[in-house]
Amino acid sequence: MSNETNIPEGYMRNATGHLVPTDKVREQDRLRDEVTRRLVLRALQISKELADFKKQALAEIEDLIQIAADRYEVTIGGKKGNVSLASYDGRYKIVRSIADRITFGEELEAAKTLINRCIDRWSEGANDNIRALVDRAFRTDTKGQIKTAAVLELLRLDIDDAEWRRAMEAIKDSIQTTGSAVYVRVYERVGESEQYRAISLDLASV
């Protein structure tokens, strides 16, 4: 929104970049513009607050881990590992979890070819379901990326076939770890039970 500082008073910039006198813009368009901008500015503020919270939470959890390490005179190597913190009364819980980011190498294409050969070789019938599962596993998302969970789901199928096993080996060989993602999840106890519910930090869940 930084380019909006160049808009002269009494004008609005339209979607093609032209300046239009405000009194020539329909009232409904002005109202829509006002609501959109107000909500986006609030969303940007919330996004920054969430980023600040995550940074603070990770720093304080790391400090707590270091305090424990110092107390017992041990060195804790690396940043891997999940950590769960709880309030003294057990009402609240915070979990830091670290998950590897996984992509697939060129071996995945070999796996796909082997799997299709298996399905073509097998008799018809229930294997139609397997073909549907395979098609779903190798389908890309809106960003053109293979869905990791769907591919890994194939590894759970217990099929006694040499070519299928070669395909599964190809999938395993194709797995590449490209980094890790760190998550902070916050929970609150449900009444006096042993169950916890997540305090949602996801817009779709609140």
Side-chain angles (χ1 to χ4, degrees):
M1 296 186 180
S2 58
N3 61 346
E4 295 171 9
T5 57
N6 300 323
I7 300 177
E9 187 177 353
Y11 286 83
M12 295 178 67
R13 193 188 303 276
N14 66 15
T16 59
H18 298 125
L19 293 175
V20 180
T22 303
D23 59 3
K24 300 298 183 184
V25 178
R26 290 190 317 149
E27 181 181 358
Q28 184 66 27
D29 291 338
R30 293 200 305 270
L31 181 61
R32 185 188 310 113
D33 180 79
E34 177 187 341
V35 170
T36 301
R37 291 175 187 279
R38 184 170 64 248
L39 292 177
V40 168
L41 288 173
R42 179 72 178 115
L44 289 171
Q45 179 186 348
I46 293 171
S47 178
K48 183 179 183 307
E49 290 173 357
L50 282 173
D52 290 343
F53 166 74
K54 181 177 180 180
K55 183 178 179 180
Q56 176 190 353
L58 292 177
E60 293 194 21
I61 291 170
E62 196 60 40
D63 286 346
L64 196 61
I65 293 171
Q66 190 58 52
I67 290 170
D70 292 344
R71 176 170 294 139
Y72 295 101
E73 299 180 350
V74 296
T75 300
I76 299 177
K79 302 292 183 182
K80 296 286 185 179
N82 299 341
V83 177
S84 180
L85 311 178
S87 60
Y88 190 64
D89 62 1
R91 182 178 178 186
Y92 301 111
K93 183 169 65 173
I94 296 178
V95 176
R96 183 198 73 180
S97 57
I98 301 176
D100 288 333
R101 288 195 180 98
I102 292 175
T103 58
F104 298 99
E106 65 278 5
E107 295 91 347
L108 194 65
E109 287 300 316
K112 185 177 181 181
T113 299
L114 287 167
I115 291 171
N116 282 328
R117 275 163 46 178
C118 285
I119 296 174
D120 291 339
R121 180 164 45 82
W122 295 335
S123 60
E124 296 181 358
N127 292 305
D128 288 341
N129 296 328
I130 296 177
R131 184 178 290 279
L133 181 65
V134 170
D135 289 343
R136 186 184 70 177
F138 290 100
R139 190 180 304 140
T140 57
D141 60 19
T142 55
K143 297 180 180 179
Q145 301 296 316
I146 293 288
K147 297 178 180 179
T148 303
V151 173
L152 297 181
E153 192 174 333
L154 294 176
L155 296 174
R156 301 178 62 183
L157 294 177
D158 186 15
I159 297 177
D160 187 14
D161 182 282
E163 200 162 40
W164 178 269
R165 288 195 297 270
R166 283 171 55 205
M168 296 305 101
E169 286 300 317
I171 290 179
K172 292 175 185 176
D173 290 342
S174 75
I175 295 173
Q176 301 174 357
T177 302
T178 59
S180 58
V182 184
Y183 302 93
V184 176
R185 296 182 174 90
V186 186
Y187 299 88
E188 181 180 23
R189 174 172 277 170
V190 179
E192 300 301 321
S193 71
E194 295 300 317
Q195 301 295 318
Y196 284 85
R197 62 166 164 255
I199 296 175
S200 180
L201 301 175
D202 177 2
L203 193 62
S205 303
V206 295

